[in-house]
Amino acid sequence: EGDMLEKAMRATFSGVASINELEREPCSIADLTVGVKCGGSDGFSGISANPVVGRLSDLLCASGGASVLSEFPELCGVEQELCRRCVTPDLAKKFASFMAEYEAQAHARGSGFDMNPSPGNIRDGLITDAIKSAGAATKAGSAPIIDVLDYGSPVTKRGGVSLLYAPGNDVECTTAMAGSGCNLILFTTGLGTP
């Protein structure tokens, strides 16, 4: 175990050294893959920061870029709206299947989507999961949903939103987005998050 950790750390530092030698170059906005994430949301997140990010997501998608929405537990209650935005029935079915799978896994471990919102969310105005989910989904604007990706799958389609199957936890979700190719993650927060 210690040997594996040492190898991982050496590889990480070697990779950082290589990356530091790269020079920045101009690129088109269409080359951007932007993850949209929220955490520590309050009663204003869904009517202020998240819609602003959603508008940016729409502009990015219209310019040929890619937007990625994840945190599947946060999408409980807005499935129908997201399925309606899917460009094919198969994508809508895939999303619904992932949502059902996630919920079943949560129930098998003594949890569930009903454990949302958190006590901090409730204290600061997000009193139902429907309010929280509707606010969270606004980060993806209104552009078409062009792909539904399993955890760790790369973003390959441009000009729309991809839904990425991942947990809502801040660290795990942003890691999944980076692993799928997001080169920028916009993270909104009302209460603050570590």
Side-chain angles (χ1 to χ4, degrees):
E1 186 176 300
D3 187 43
M4 179 193 72
L5 184 56
E6 184 177 333
K7 286 179 183 177
M9 288 176 63
R10 286 185 191 279
T12 299
F13 285 117
S14 174
V16 168
S18 298
I19 289 171
N20 284 338
E21 294 175 11
L22 297 175
E23 291 187 31
R24 291 178 185 253
E25 297 177 9
C27 68
S28 165
I29 194 168
D31 294 326
L32 285 178
T33 302
V34 177
V36 295
K37 171 76 177 98
C38 58
S41 299
D42 65 12
F44 290 102
S45 297
I47 58 175
S48 59
N50 290 353
V52 169
V53 169
R55 178 69 176 131
L56 181 134
S57 176
D58 285 344
L59 293 171
L60 174 68
C61 293
S63 299
S67 180
V68 179
L69 176 66
S70 192
E71 37 185 353
F72 273 38
E74 311 297 321
L75 303 177
C76 176
V78 294
E79 296 95 338
Q80 186 59 45
E81 171 62 18
L82 294 174
C83 285
R84 185 190 62 73
R85 288 175 49 193
C86 288
V87 295
T88 68
D90 286 343
L91 284 177
K93 287 178 188 171
K94 187 174 182 182
F95 169 62
S97 173
F98 277 153
M99 287 294 287
E101 179 182 312
Y102 198 108
E103 186 171 25
Q105 288 182 23
H107 282 292
R109 287 157 183 79
S111 185
F113 288 155
D114 60 335
M115 301 293 190
N116 213 354
S118 72
N121 295 146
I122 293 168
R123 183 178 57 252
D124 284 347
L126 289 178
I127 56 174
T128 69
D129 58 346
I131 294 170
K132 186 173 181 183
S133 295
T138 63
K139 297 186 309 289
S142 59
I145 294 172
I146 58 172
D147 210 354
V148 177
L149 305 169
D150 200 351
Y151 190 94
S153 298
V155 176
T156 59
K157 296 181 180 175
R158 319 228 37 93
V161 176
S162 292
L163 300 177
L164 175 62
Y165 184 41
N169 311 67
D170 298 347
V171 173
E172 292 88 341
C173 186
T174 54
T175 300
M177 289 178 165
S180 289
C182 292
N183 42 25
L184 180 65
I185 298 173
L186 299 178
F187 193 117
T188 64
T189 185
L191 303 173
T193 182

